[in-house]
Amino acid sequence: MRWDNLAETDSPGPGAGGAAALFDADAVVTRTFDTPEFRGVTFHEVRARSIVNRVPGVSRMPFEWTVNPYRGCTHACVYCFARKTHSYLDLDTGIGFDSQIVVKVNAPELLRRHLSSRRWEGAHIAMGTNVDCYQRAEGRYRLMPGIIEALRDHANPFSILTKGTLILRDLELLKEASEVTHVGISVSVGFVDHALWRTVEPGTPAPERRLDVVRTLTEHGIGCGVLMAPVIPFLGDHPDQLRATVRAIAASGATSVTPLVLHLRPGAREWFMEWLAEHHPQLVRRYERLYAEGAYAPKWYQRRITRQVHELATEFGIGPAHRGAARRIPRRVEPEPAGPTQLTLL
């Protein structure tokens, strides 16, 4: 496994001088647990050297910084775009992505150190954007409470995207954080069709359980939006399916619904197409045509889905999410002793 030379070139930690290895190769501990929920899963416990990652400038994401305490995901979503990242560790992007989980056991302490740096200006940090930080592994490793505590203590704005119901374990921490900074929570529910859910998202909680999370967060004063993702062409995009999904999202009390059509990046594309050939061979040619130009469905198709979902959202009394700049809460700065001042640039 390629631990040594894997480098983080996008976001060196404060004071770092260039690329550095992500993990200490002599501090990797591999574990398996003989319990039903973890049977067949291997955990690679590592001590990461950095935890706050800069999003590449070419990314379509509306945020610049992320924290990902895990690599790989037991949700086992066949379409997951993050599968390619497992190849950087010489791990399989198919079954290996679902069952070989890298756990950054020192994530909370690294984040607290990063937030304490004089160079950090309190930018918004997004979580759950690569793999789910509330996947089953979190029930054992409990990294998120320490992460949220660090963000709370520094009044640093953050957001979480999840399919996991485990987020409710940290409800009190989220409420405390929301009192001092902006906290954005989104739950991913692309469809409510149970037959589709069982085949494409086999390791996730059922859609209605995820919507229960939305309902609970909302009842406790934490606004929660729904990322309706992915809308899967020819399998989850029938008008009746879209209507049923938006109706259920509205009933949960979601503050917004944002549709996102399936995209198939390298790594995910091969795994998804293999799954499609096995379960829906009649759709293979249609997918090859629809995604002939690359990872994303054609603009006309994306616009059609977006229009339909927004019309349904209006009908059921919820609106689309609106992008806005993350609120920044100034940190209290202690007076500096008199003397020369050296300015630093991010």
Side-chain angles (χ1 to χ4, degrees):
M1 193 178 303
R2 185 158 46 115
W3 302 109
D4 286 327
N5 298 320
L6 181 64
E8 173 60 85
T9 56
D10 293 328
S11 175
L22 284 176
F23 313 128
D24 290 319
D26 58 352
V28 178
V29 177
T30 298
R31 300 186 192 277
T32 58
F33 302 107
D34 190 22
T35 54
E37 69 270 29
F38 295 130
R39 192 159 293 136
V41 180
T42 300
F43 296 96
H44 304 284
E45 299 174 0
V46 303
R47 295 194 61 81
R49 293 182 177 176
S50 65
I51 197 65
V52 179
N53 307 303
R54 189 171 218 146
V55 177
V58 295
S59 172
R60 299 187 179 194
M61 298 299 181
F63 43 79
E64 188 177 1
W65 301 95
T66 65
V67 164
N68 297 293
Y70 301 97
R71 281 181 176 238
C73 186
T74 52
H75 284 344
C77 302
V78 297
Y79 51 76
C80 184
F81 70 88
R83 289 182 177 277
K84 180 67 174 176
T85 62
H86 246 39
S87 67
Y88 307 154
L89 296 174
D90 287 343
L91 291 171
D92 175 59
T93 59
I95 293 295
F97 181 83
D98 304 337
S99 61
Q100 301 280 332
I101 311 301
V102 177
V103 184
K104 303 172 188 176
V105 293
N106 60 335
E109 62 189 81
L110 270 182
L111 178 60
R112 188 172 290 276
R113 188 187 313 158
H114 190 102
L115 297 178
S116 299
S117 167
R118 294 166 59 87
R119 297 181 63 187
W120 180 250
E121 295 187 336
H124 180 101
I125 289 177
M127 292 175 283
T129 59
N130 192 40
V131 301
D132 203 321
C133 49
Y134 282 105
Q135 59 176 290
R136 278 178 286 162
E138 173 61 17
R140 174 171 289 273
Y141 287 97
R142 298 183 62 86
L143 300 180
M144 287 302 293
I147 288 172
I148 296 171
E149 287 169 356
L151 291 162
R152 176 202 63 192
D153 292 349
H154 287 83
N156 200 105
F158 65 92
S159 59
I160 298 173
L161 171 64
T162 184
K163 290 186 176 81
T165 56
L166 189 57
I167 190 174
L168 293 181
R169 180 202 62 194
D170 298 335
L171 179 58
E172 290 305 314
L173 281 175
L174 292 170
K175 289 168 65 176
E176 291 172 10
S178 68
E179 292 174 359
V180 298
T181 190
H182 176 75
V183 177
I185 308 293
S186 293
V187 172
S188 177
V189 182
F191 41 82
V192 292
D193 183 320
H194 262 234
L196 185 58
W197 160 63
R198 289 183 186 280
T199 56
V200 301
E201 300 173 344
T204 64
E208 61 268 21
R209 291 196 59 207
R210 288 179 245 163
L211 292 175
D212 285 340
V213 169
V214 177
R215 188 173 292 106
T216 301
L217 290 172
T218 301
E219 289 172 351
H220 284 80
I222 300 177
C224 184
V226 169
L227 183 64
M228 191 170 159
V231 176
I232 304 180
F234 319 128
L235 292 172
D237 63 350
H238 188 278
D240 290 344
Q241 290 173 303
L242 298 179
R243 171 173 287 276
T245 302
V246 176
R247 181 192 293 115
I249 291 170
S252 73
T255 57
S256 64
V257 57
T258 304
L260 185 66
V261 173
L262 174 73
H263 57 278
L264 297 173
R265 298 182 188 175
R269 186 185 187 113
E270 295 82 356
W271 187 246
F272 179 86
M273 293 301 290
E274 183 178 326
W275 171 86
L276 191 71
E278 179 181 350
H279 293 271
H280 303 280
Q282 75 282 4
L283 294 179
V284 171
R285 287 294 300 146
R286 296 182 72 181
Y287 264 82
E288 289 173 346
R289 290 193 294 268
L290 190 66
Y291 289 89
E293 300 300 317
Y296 294 89
K299 290 290 186 183
W300 63 263
Y301 179 86
Q302 295 185 53
R303 292 192 191 102
R304 191 187 81 190
I305 296 298
T306 298
R307 183 181 66 254
Q308 289 177 291
V309 170
H310 286 179
E311 288 172 353
L312 289 166
T314 300
E315 177 183 341
F316 290 113
I318 54 176
H322 297 284
R323 285 186 185 177
R327 190 178 79 186
R328 293 190 179 186
I329 296 182
R331 292 185 296 171
R332 184 179 301 166
V333 179
E334 298 296 330
E336 296 253 353
T341 300
Q342 180 177 350
L343 299 178
T344 59
L345 296 176
L346 280 179

